[in-house]
């Protein structure tokens, strides 16, 4: 039946993972992904009780088509949507070179390099948009994410004490940032 070394079944090929901009039709799958990651015991996300509604998500993804300062990319394994990367540029003229990012991968598809691939996509988007710095907040207990970010080249810029209010009370967040290499063009 499953997985033993003596199995005569040929190994199933790893699914092909593709990264592409999110489309309005992805709204329901993105809401499901946010809700299921948000429910995990690890308490990784700010939103534990769901994401936007499907209609709100669809409207947001539609609006992004005409708005170059934010983006959502998805990772698709075969036909299943398994990862999300969100980017949004600061609107203040003094920090216009900075964009904030959010990332999540479905629990069944972790440790396959998808998070890293989406961060590479974030850097490509930033280069194209003239963004020089990517930043994010991560909870101090989120070791998988901090390891990924540090391995990728993000640095800790500080600890923001009691920065977020959650059901359990106020919690700290680590501020991390990645400086893009200077453009050669
Ligand atoms: C954090 C998260 C995005 C990582 O995604 P992923 O696709 O599993 O990451 P990758 O497979 O690309 O990992 C790349 C590297 O990051 C590090 N890493 C990732 N997960 C790790 C873990 N659980 N423990 C230790 N290191 C880890 C490793 O260095 C890994 O390289 P390796 O597998 O060759 O050792 C994913 O665990 C996730 O979605 N978690 C829940 C949501 C979340 O925390 N989002 C971030 C909020 S700030």
């Amino acid at each position: 039946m499953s997985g033993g070394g003596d199995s005569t079944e040929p190994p199933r090929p790893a699914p092909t993972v593709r990264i592409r901009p999110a489309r309005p039709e992805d709204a329901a799958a993105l809401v499901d992904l946010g809700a299921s990651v948000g429910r995990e015991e690890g308490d990784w996300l700010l939103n534990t009780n769901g994401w936007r509604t499907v209609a709100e998500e669809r409207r947001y993804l539609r609006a992004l088509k005409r708005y170059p300062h934010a983006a959502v990319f998805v990772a698709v394994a075969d036909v299943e949507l398994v990862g999300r990367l969100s980017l949004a540029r600061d609107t203040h003229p003094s920090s216009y070179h900075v964009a904030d990012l959010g990332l999540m991968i479905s629990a069944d598809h972790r440790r396959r390099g998808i998070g890293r691939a989406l961060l590479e996509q974030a850097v490509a988007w930033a280069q194209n948009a003239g963004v020089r710095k990517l930043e994010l907040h991560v909870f101090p207990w989120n070791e998988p994410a901090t390891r990924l970010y540090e391995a990728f080249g993000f640095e800790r810029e500080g600890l923001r004490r009691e920065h977020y209010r959650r059901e359990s009370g106020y919690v700290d967040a680590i501020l991390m940032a990645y400086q893009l290499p200077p453009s050669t063009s």
Side-chain angles (χ1 to χ4, degrees):
M1 287 251 297
S2 68
D6 295 337
S7 167
T8 52
E9 280 181 35
R12 274 201 294 159
T16 316
V17 177
R18 218 157 45 86
I19 290 173
R20 60 162 174 78
R23 305 171 186 139
E25 311 86 86
D26 296 324
L30 282 170
V31 168
D32 283 351
L33 177 66
S36 69
V37 177
R39 276 195 304 267
E40 285 180 39
E41 271 185 17
D43 249 350
W44 316 121
L45 303 184
L46 207 46
N47 297 307
T48 51
N49 56 354
W51 207 240
R52 303 179 175 106
T53 65
V54 175
E56 286 164 347
E57 183 74 285
R58 194 179 299 116
R59 257 198 308 280
Y60 180 67
L61 294 172
R62 261 198 216 116
L64 285 184
K65 287 183 176 177
R66 300 179 303 279
Y67 186 70
H69 304 305
V72 176
F73 291 92
V74 293
V76 181
D78 292 335
V79 293
E80 187 192 353
L81 196 155
V82 298
R84 173 197 187 115
L85 165 75
S86 312
L87 295 147
R89 170 180 222 144
D90 277 11
T91 48
H92 195 281
S94 306
S95 51
Y96 195 60
H97 59 290
V98 179
D100 185 79
L101 79 78
L103 178 67
M104 67 179 83
I105 310 298
S106 120
D108 295 342
H109 288 80
R110 293 185 189 150
R111 293 310 282 272
R112 295 181 185 176
I114 302 174
R116 194 196 305 265
L118 282 168
L119 291 180
E120 278 159 10
Q121 179 63 59
V123 171
W125 177 86
Q127 273 161 344
N128 208 32
V131 163
R132 296 184 45 197
K133 180 177 180 180
L134 293 168
E135 68 170 23
L136 56 87
H137 286 96
V138 57
F139 291 128
W141 58 85
N142 193 343
E143 204 180 314
T146 45
R147 292 260 188 112
L148 165 65
Y149 298 137
E150 283 179 335
F152 192 83
F154 280 75
E155 290 178 19
R156 291 172 192 240
E157 291 201 330
L159 180 68
R160 313 200 69 185
R161 293 195 189 279
E162 306 204 342
H163 192 68
Y164 291 114
R165 187 159 60 86
R166 316 188 82 214
E167 270 170 33
S168 54
Y170 290 96
V171 292
D172 298 348
I174 301 170
L175 175 64
M176 299 188 80
Y178 177 89
Q179 301 277 356
L180 268 77
S183 154
T184 48
S185 60

